[in-house]
Amino acid sequence: MGYKIAVVGATGNVGREMLDILAERAFPADEVVALASRRSQGQEVSYGDKTLKVKTLDTYDFSDTDICLMSAGGETSKEWSPRIGQQGCVVIDNSSAFRYDADVPLIVPEVNADAIVGFTKRNIIANPNCSTAQLVVALKPLHEAATIKRVVVSTYQSVSGAGKEAMDELFNQTRAVFTAGEIKQGGKFTKRIAFNVIPHIDVFMEDGYTKEEWKMVAETKKMLDPKIKLTATAVRVPVFIGHAESVNIEFERPLSAEKASEILRAAPGVLVIDKRENGGYITPHEAAGEDATYISRIREDATVENGLNFWCVSDNLRKGAALNTVQIAEVLVNRKLLNRSKRAA
């Protein structure tokens, strides 16, 4: 018997990507249900070669559903995820609502799949922030090899991380530049995004860091190792899809660039594209639509003992959100962790 899957937020960027990836990866689903708010009821979304009519979340009964992929924002998740979990359906939540809850595992399958067993406390599993997901996929094998002491990361994050309205804002502002039209500001971004970069993602905190930067610290510690010291600067760039990161690492033990490259080439979910020549590296443009976390520009940092730099790029809608969520669902299925007694009855 296949599984019954619900996708909440099915009309959004990430929700649509989830449906695509479920179909692409031939997830063993007998039935997939697209859910959203009342205003989206009756809209149509694609699932492989099928078209699904969107149903409303408010009136949906989850008691015979195995897994709910939740991508409707933090407030919706806070309200609905516990309720859905209590009906016996496992929620994999893409928002920040439960990431820091001690009773909710925060999972990147290539990094800490074994921690998934903790989901039974609340029937909720959290998906990390998009910028953290790709980072820890690269850090994990290096940490195992030489033990990471400290990480300094600067992000170059695409506008799709802020949703469809943000993508529209970049498009409209860029068009206005070329047509000498009015460049409208004050939408999703605090400053003009077209032909500009903005060192501000999420809200500011008391210490001067933004919430996005704090998330990277807290999530890396929870998933990888609480001893790792990490500092981040998160920057929005005028790219539609694909987050890039400049990563500097200090290790406990020596690790050459050659050895690091060898380790990363063998790591799950990672592709190394690193030729020291023109174009011998990856950019967000090439990573868009791909599943891998790409690593380039691997080199030693001579300014610290046991230092290393690299460039990390991934499609934030996929590995940073939808793909990781589906991979978590695959872990539940492959490890036979779902209690299906109610459905069998």
Side-chain angles (χ1 to χ4, degrees):
M1 183 171 65
Y3 296 84
K4 185 172 182 180
I5 309 296
V7 176
V8 177
T11 57
N13 280 347
V14 174
R16 289 174 188 272
E17 200 77 27
M18 286 174 175
L19 290 166
D20 287 345
I21 292 171
L22 284 167
E24 282 172 23
R25 293 172 75 91
F27 188 88
D30 278 350
E31 185 178 355
V32 174
V33 182
L35 300 172
S37 63
R38 287 183 183 277
R39 67 177 180 273
S40 298
Q41 186 174 1
Q43 281 189 34
E44 293 185 342
V45 290
S46 297
Y47 166 60
D49 56 4
K50 298 176 184 172
T51 300
L52 305 180
K53 274 222 159 97
V54 175
K55 299 179 180 179
T56 179
L57 170 63
D58 291 355
T59 57
Y60 186 74
D61 179 4
F62 285 89
S63 60
D64 67 343
T65 303
D66 295 296
I67 301 171
C68 170
L69 308 184
M70 173 72 70
S71 186
E75 291 308 310
T76 300
S77 183
K78 281 176 191 172
E79 179 184 352
W80 282 95
S81 292
R83 289 197 219 170
I84 296 168
Q86 285 166 5
Q87 292 184 60
C89 175
V90 180
V91 179
I92 306 173
D93 180 35
N94 193 52
S95 80
S96 61
F98 298 97
R99 288 176 188 156
Y100 318 108
D101 187 320
D103 291 335
V104 174
L106 179 66
I107 301 294
V108 170
E110 297 92 337
V111 174
N112 65 335
D114 289 347
I116 201 169
V117 294
F119 82 89
T120 54
K121 291 177 183 173
R122 300 194 66 181
N123 259 4
I124 301 172
I125 303 166
N127 201 44
N129 190 39
C130 48
S131 53
T132 311
Q134 69 187 69
L135 177 66
V136 293
V137 167
L139 294 184
K140 167 75 169 180
L142 299 176
H143 185 53
E144 288 181 341
T147 308
I148 295 170
K149 286 170 63 177
R150 179 172 183 257
V151 181
V152 181
V153 57
S154 298
T155 73
Y156 305 73
Q157 293 177 233
S158 66
V159 296
S160 56
K164 184 179 180 301
E165 289 176 19
M167 297 175 78
D168 291 342
E169 191 167 328
L170 172 58
F171 178 83
N172 291 330
Q173 287 185 1
T174 303
R175 181 172 59 186
V177 169
F178 284 108
T179 60
E182 180 190 357
I183 300 174
K184 292 182 180 176
Q185 297 184 49
K188 293 292 286 188
F189 300 113
T190 55
K191 299 217 175 194
R192 165 178 151 172
I193 186 61
F195 300 95
N196 199 16
V197 297
I198 304 171
H200 173 195
I201 301 177
D202 213 326
V203 297
F204 275 95
M205 303 176 74
E206 285 187 9
D207 61 2
Y209 285 84
T210 64
K211 190 76 179 287
E212 184 82 0
E213 293 156 355
W214 175 86
K215 288 173 188 174
M216 295 187 76
V217 176
E219 293 171 16
T220 300
K221 286 177 178 288
K222 181 171 179 177
M223 287 188 288
L224 199 52
D225 189 337
K227 295 192 190 86
I228 292 175
K229 294 178 179 178
L230 186 145
T231 184
T233 302
V235 181
R236 192 71 75 186
V237 297
V239 169
F240 283 110
I241 294 172
H243 288 356
E245 296 169 350
S246 171
V247 185
N248 176 268
I249 309 174
E250 187 179 350
F251 295 94
E252 295 274 4
R253 299 184 296 280
L255 184 67
S256 68
E258 290 74 22
K259 184 62 179 173
S261 179
E262 181 186 319
I263 290 166
L264 289 166
R265 286 179 193 279
V270 174
L271 275 178
V272 175
I273 297 182
D274 190 17
K275 296 180 180 176
R276 294 175 178 179
E277 61 186 43
N278 293 346
Y281 41 80
I282 200 78
T283 67
H285 175 70
E286 291 99 36
E290 301 294 330
D291 289 347
T293 294
Y294 292 92
I295 307 295
S296 306
R297 301 292 321 280
I298 303 166
R299 61 210 189 275
E300 289 158 36
D301 175 5
T303 67
V304 294
E305 194 172 1
N306 306 328
L308 198 73
N309 289 300
F310 64 79
W311 175 249
C312 174
V313 182
S314 192
D315 182 327
N316 55 294
L317 297 181
R318 292 180 77 88
K319 186 54 190 172
L323 172 64
N324 199 69
T325 307
V326 174
Q327 286 177 309
I328 292 169
E330 289 171 346
V331 173
L332 288 172
V333 169
N334 294 338
R335 298 194 180 192
K336 297 180 170 55
L337 296 173
L338 294 168
N339 179 1
R340 311 190 70 205
S341 56
K342 280 194 306 179
R343 286 204 66 199

